[in-house]
Amino acid sequence: MSSGLHICLANDLAPPTAAHKLLLSFHFGRGPAPYDHPAIVSPHLHPIDRDLLFENWWVTDDVEFTTHNGMRIAECGDYAVVIFESDESDTDNHQQLTHDAYGRLLEVVNATEHPQLVKIWNYIGSINEGEGDEERYRQFSVGRALAFSESNLEDRAAPTGTGVGMMRHRGLSITALCSRCDFALAENPRQVSAFNYPRQYGPKSPKFGRAGSVVTRSQRLHLISGTAAIVGHESMHPGDTQAQLDETLRNLDTLCESVSEIDRAGPKLELDERSVLRVYLRAPDDYPVIARSLKERLGLGPDQVVFLQGDICRRELMLEIDGVRIQ
């Protein structure tokens, strides 16, 4: 049975219809989630323009929730979700924590009926803490790369991904979306593939693809990785949020073209009212001008965009955007 995926931003967990079941819900807020549900992930990110928000992923077939190897698992017809959350209270080795978490996560994914990784959201406490190769994001990248290598996951098969700092001193949240359906990755010709970054960005390059599409019997799910003002492998316009937004939107336009090229059977991908975007801002004070610019450029308002306070993986970057669109 096809899952009939529906993704929306909401203030609660009210389903769009009686036929919809909750597969995954990202809870954004300063306090704990007001619901107890196994589909909820709380990555400790604060919405800038409201107090509480959920990004809900609904499906029209049954969802089975289980736990295995310290992971929460949700499975339906077309998709599975695997969730890992840690407050790091029992370790001071972020690289080892990441390596262990990814090793177990990949084992769990392979044991489901949805072995194709298509998207991973990574949220990391104090992501920019530490100097040089000791920076927590670089240590995270090493741990992830080692786990991928041990699982024989090739760089060019790395799923789409996002890596952003959560608003707490310590913690690691990993949410993996998997599928049994056809999946194709796309890269951005304006950018060096992340897995090919030179040594200056750390001992191991980040392992993620820029964009991809899942094709089910009834839908296309387009996934955009965390995208920022990077051209080639270099950060552009350090500290200039508006210029970085312009560069980021150029990268998003190019990514949409790349996805459309690999999925010629479907309509051209555009970021429109059927999209759901997350905009991560290092400085919350940048919100008014960025929200206004996105409204003017893409026509997207609060029903399609959530603005979140979060540090970006490079210290000179002020914002990052990721998102999804269903066709």
Side-chain angles (χ1 to χ4, degrees):
M1 179 183 293
S2 183
S3 298
L5 184 64
H6 175 77
I7 304 170
C8 63
L9 300 176
N11 296 323
D12 53 33
L13 299 186
T17 73
H20 281 89
K21 313 293 193 307
L22 190 61
L23 175 70
L24 172 64
S25 177
F26 289 95
H27 157 245
F28 303 121
R30 296 180 181 275
Y35 305 98
D36 182 14
H37 194 291
I40 295 176
V41 179
S42 295
H44 299 281
L45 291 167
H46 303 162
I48 296 172
D49 57 338
R50 54 196 115 181
D51 294 329
L52 175 70
L53 191 66
F54 295 91
E55 181 183 300
N56 294 327
W57 291 54
W58 300 96
V59 293
T60 52
D61 56 348
D62 291 336
V63 180
E64 179 183 6
F65 294 99
T66 56
T67 60
H68 179 66
N69 211 8
M71 310 277 171
R72 283 186 283 148
I73 307 160
E75 291 194 76
C76 64
D78 293 331
Y79 298 101
V81 174
V82 180
I83 299 168
F84 170 84
E85 292 179 296
S86 171
D87 61 8
E88 292 190 82
S89 59
D90 57 351
T91 182
D92 59 1
N93 189 328
H94 190 63
Q95 177 183 319
Q96 189 63 50
L97 172 67
T98 304
H99 174 248
D100 291 346
Y102 259 93
R104 287 188 284 136
L105 182 144
L106 293 171
E107 288 180 5
V108 170
V109 169
N110 288 332
T112 71
E113 296 182 359
H114 305 78
Q116 175 65 65
L117 278 168
V118 299
K119 170 77 179 190
I120 304 182
W121 293 267
N122 305 280
Y123 296 108
I124 304 160
S126 302
I127 192 171
N128 300 133
E129 181 183 284
E131 296 301 320
D133 289 346
E134 297 305 310
E135 184 188 46
R136 278 170 60 83
Y137 179 65
R138 295 190 181 198
Q139 290 295 299
F140 165 86
S141 293
V142 172
R144 174 175 56 181
L146 291 173
F148 275 17
S149 176
E150 290 165 0
S151 296
N152 298 314
L153 183 62
E154 296 182 358
D155 285 353
R156 293 193 174 276
T160 60
T162 294
V164 169
M166 61 171 59
M167 299 307 298
R168 64 183 297 181
H169 182 57
R170 287 290 183 268
L172 177 62
S173 172
I174 304 173
T175 301
L177 178 69
C178 323
S179 182
R180 65 173 65 176
C181 301
D182 291 340
F183 177 63
L185 285 161
E187 288 296 304
N188 182 351
R190 298 186 81 233
Q191 298 177 310
V192 172
S193 296
F195 45 79
N196 286 331
Y197 279 176
R199 174 62 177 84
Q200 70 193 74
Y201 299 104
K204 296 289 184 180
S205 58
K207 306 302 183 186
F208 68 90
R210 300 288 186 189
S213 295
V214 181
V215 180
T216 72
R217 284 176 289 177
S218 60
Q219 294 176 321
R220 282 172 165 77
L221 171 63
H222 300 299
L223 299 155
I224 302 294
S225 291
T227 300
I230 295 173
V231 178
H233 59 76
E234 297 180 349
S235 301
M236 309 300 290
H237 322 293
D240 187 333
T241 305
Q242 181 62 62
Q244 287 192 10
L245 175 64
D246 294 340
E247 200 72 68
T248 300
L249 291 176
R250 282 190 284 271
N251 279 327
L252 288 172
D253 286 343
T254 305
L255 267 177
C256 287
E257 293 173 2
S258 295
V259 171
S260 299
E261 281 292 314
I262 66 167
D263 186 20
R264 293 179 178 274
K268 181 180 178 181
L269 174 58
E270 296 180 334
L271 298 180
D272 55 17
E273 69 279 357
R274 287 177 289 179
S275 306
V276 175
L277 301 183
R278 301 181 197 177
V279 180
Y280 307 97
L281 292 175
R282 186 180 292 274
D285 289 346
D286 289 332
Y287 161 72
V289 65
I290 298 303
R292 185 168 57 250
S293 294
L294 281 177
K295 183 66 174 178
E296 293 171 354
R297 297 279 292 274
L298 300 179
L300 302 182
D303 289 339
Q304 294 87 34
V305 184
V306 54
F307 292 88
L308 301 167
Q309 182 180 358
D311 291 336
I312 315 304
C313 62
R314 297 187 188 181
R315 302 177 194 197
E316 68 274 14
L317 292 175
M318 303 302 294
L319 66 92
E320 180 170 310
I321 299 175
D322 74 2
V324 296
R325 184 178 186 269
I326 296 175
Q327 288 183 331

